[in-house]
Amino acid sequence: MAEFVVHLADRPELELDHLDVDVEEDVITFDITGTIRDIDDEFLAELTDTALRPTEIHFATTDK
């Protein structure tokens, strides 16, 4: 399985329509809906006709 990373520092546009993250006892729940635009055409060509699934999710903490 090949792995691909979209680096937001490389200028693709991340648009989140919905973001909900919560910690409940010993479980982190999350729901994310959005799009990533302005990705390099060569990179997109490599992803054509493939199934994508996240392999890592990073969270940053802030005070409530």
Side-chain angles (χ1 to χ4, degrees), residues 8-58:
L8 297 180
D10 292 342
R11 304 181 60 107
E13 178 184 334
L14 173 64
E15 181 180 315
L16 296 178
D17 300 319
H18 177 80
L19 173 61
D20 184 32
V21 180
D22 198 14
V23 177
E24 300 173 3
E25 297 181 16
D26 63 343
V27 175
I28 298 173
T29 61
F30 63 95
D31 184 18
I32 302 170
T33 305
T35 56
I36 302 173
R37 300 180 189 281
D38 299 328
I39 298 175
D40 181 72
D41 289 340
E42 290 178 23
F43 184 72
L44 286 176
E46 292 183 55
L47 302 178
T48 300
D49 297 325
T50 64
L52 300 176
R53 67 178 184 83
T55 57
E56 288 187 33
I57 300 173
H58 297 255

